[in-house]
Amino acid sequence: MSNYDILVIGAGPGGYVAAIRAAQLGKKVALVERDHLGGICLNWGCIPTKAMLKGTDLLHAARQADRFGLAPLSPVIDPARLVGRAVEVSGQLTAGIGFLLKKNGVEVIWGAAHLAAPGQVEVAESATPGPRGAKGPGRYSADHIILATGARPRVLPGLEPDGQLIWTYREALRPAAVPARLIVVGSGAIGVEFASIYAAMGSKVTIVEMAPRILPTEDSEIAGLMAKALQKRGIEIRNGVLIATLDRQAEGVIATLSDGAVLEADRLLSAAGVVPNVEGLGLEALGVTFDRGAVRTEGAGRTSVPGLYAIGDLAGPPMLAHKAEHDGIACVEAIVASSDAKPHKAPIPACIYASPQVASVGLTEEAARAAGLGVRLGRFLLRGNGKALVLGEPEGLVKCVFGAATDSLVGAQIIGAEASELIHGLTIAITLGATSAQLATVVFPHPTLSEALHEAVLAARDGAIHA
């Protein structure tokens, strides 16, 4: 007889959500973790970076106080206190997860997990102390095992992190001091967010990106606007180049780019994405199949091994916390219902919390055209929105992509104030198959940033009022 109905390995957003949902559905559940409840997201990624960005956003706003009728201010960031608040917020959320697990009757097992055999998990001692009440090392069995081990920073040849001169996001979140000069390699969400943080803290930041433009997976128009915004804040951007050689000095680095240019910096942040944590689990011995470094899944997380499932980053892109959460719920509900559920096809929004923010969902204009869709666009500049002017953030754009034949919304992109808080409206619209005709009839409150979404829809119908 198995110890558990469902055992989840990894306590990040996908894992702890899956464990709680399984317990809610009446299953006996265990959650194995070796490092931190909440995983990378709560402790080293999503949450602490946003806490730091909030501080830098306040700094930027305070420096413009005179625009809002206040006496001019000259605030300065205290890096130690900025980092301290990020740690505090992460700690509060981690404690909250522990409470939720206990409330729902999920047993926590502390240690490093290895799949010893089908349905069998060997847990070894972890170097990190576990929470009070957690079970320790041993062999545990379960009818169903869900893998939610997440991902780690991608290591580029020649740019291997050393914790001193070459950083990953971990070191960038706990700097001993703010570097005067910082090279950021990679211009995805991680790279752009840290470039914004460190530029606000006074670093001279240079982004090095191998693609022809920054944010290479985003809409090209949106990416262009972000590049201009970053450059306006003093961030240098080098596109279409690689670091050919890196000379590590005692107190800094000298990077020679593939175009011959030479950059000197105090620190280099490698932000070239992440790779799934598939090693050390015993997957190969069990016959698990892979797809481009991730675990291949079918249905709601099913792997090639019966009773074994993979969710979140481990199951491949998009590697986002909210995608992992939905994976976890879908996987558990399919297990409990004994159904052969298909992967959910709902659009997954993505957000970049730089300054300005970027948020997107569905197809970009380029992707829609490449797919052979007839495209009808709706564009609205935020400078025509009253709330954006009130906030002092009139730079930005809302872009809606409609299929010409169906009139359905197939994609949307936003750059500007609170983009991450606005994209859900358009995500709902795509999920429900809404058309421009339907969205045009929706009443938006005034004055709000959300009115810009309405104007973009109206623009696709040649009816924008404030454009």
Side-chain angles (χ1 to χ4, degrees), residues 73-263:
L73 302 174
S74 300
V76 177
I77 278 185
D78 181 337
R81 294 179 67 185
L82 185 70
V83 170
R85 181 173 184 274
V87 172
E88 178 186 353
V89 172
S90 294
Q92 291 174 348
L93 290 171
T94 299
I97 291 172
F99 169 78
L100 290 172
L101 293 171
K102 183 177 181 180
K103 173 186 174 183
N104 286 280
V106 175
E107 294 186 8
V108 175
I109 302 171
W110 204 257
H114 175 84
L115 299 171
Q120 299 287 322
V121 177
E122 190 73 36
V123 178
E125 188 172 357
S126 171
T128 304
R132 180 181 299 178
K135 291 187 174 182
R139 177 168 287 209
Y140 301 89
S141 62
D143 297 330
H144 304 275
I145 296 173
I146 300 174
L147 304 174
T149 54
R152 66 184 184 280
R154 184 186 302 277
V155 176
L156 298 177
L159 301 182
E160 293 81 5
D162 56 22
Q164 296 296 322
L165 298 175
I166 312 300
W167 288 352
T168 66
Y169 53 73
R170 284 180 176 262
E171 291 78 27
L173 284 167
R174 304 286 193 274
V178 176
R181 300 163 300 174
L182 176 67
I183 297 172
V184 177
V185 178
S187 68
I190 296 172
V192 168
E193 287 181 7
F194 276 112
S196 292
I197 290 171
Y198 276 88
M201 290 197 294
S203 295
K204 176 65 178 73
V205 178
T206 301
I207 295 175
V208 176
E209 171 57 58
M210 65 179 293
R213 60 177 173 85
I214 67 167
L215 301 180
T217 63
E218 296 290 335
D219 176 270
S220 61
E221 184 178 14
I222 297 293
L225 292 172
M226 175 58 85
K228 291 179 180 177
L230 295 177
Q231 289 167 334
K232 186 176 180 180
R233 294 198 172 194
I235 298 173
E236 183 180 359
I237 298 174
R238 299 292 188 99
N239 290 323
V241 293
L242 301 167
I243 293 183
T245 62
L246 185 72
D247 184 9
R248 305 184 191 215
Q249 305 285 307
E251 298 296 331
V253 298
I254 301 175
T256 302
L257 306 185
S258 54
D259 62 0
V262 176
L263 302 177

Side-chain angles (χ1 to χ4, degrees), residues 28-89:
K28 185 177 181 182
V29 185
L31 178 64
V32 183
E33 175 56 47
R34 66 182 183 185
D35 197 2
H36 297 287
L37 294 179
I40 293 297
C41 178
L42 266 66
N43 295 280
W44 295 99
C46 316
I47 298 302
T49 54
K50 299 342 169 245
M52 293 178 74
L53 281 162
K54 177 61 177 179
T56 59
D57 286 346
L58 287 172
L59 176 69
H60 178 70
R63 287 174 175 172
Q64 302 183 75
D66 59 326
R67 296 179 57 197
F68 296 90
L70 304 178
L73 302 174
S74 300
V76 177
I77 278 185
D78 181 337
R81 294 179 67 185
L82 185 70
V83 170
R85 181 173 184 274
V87 172
E88 178 186 353
V89 172

Side-chain angles (χ1 to χ4, degrees), residues 292-310:
R292 290 169 289 182
V295 174
R296 182 190 295 275
T297 61
E298 297 179 5
R302 288 185 294 107
T303 72
S304 54
V305 177
L308 185 64
Y309 310 80

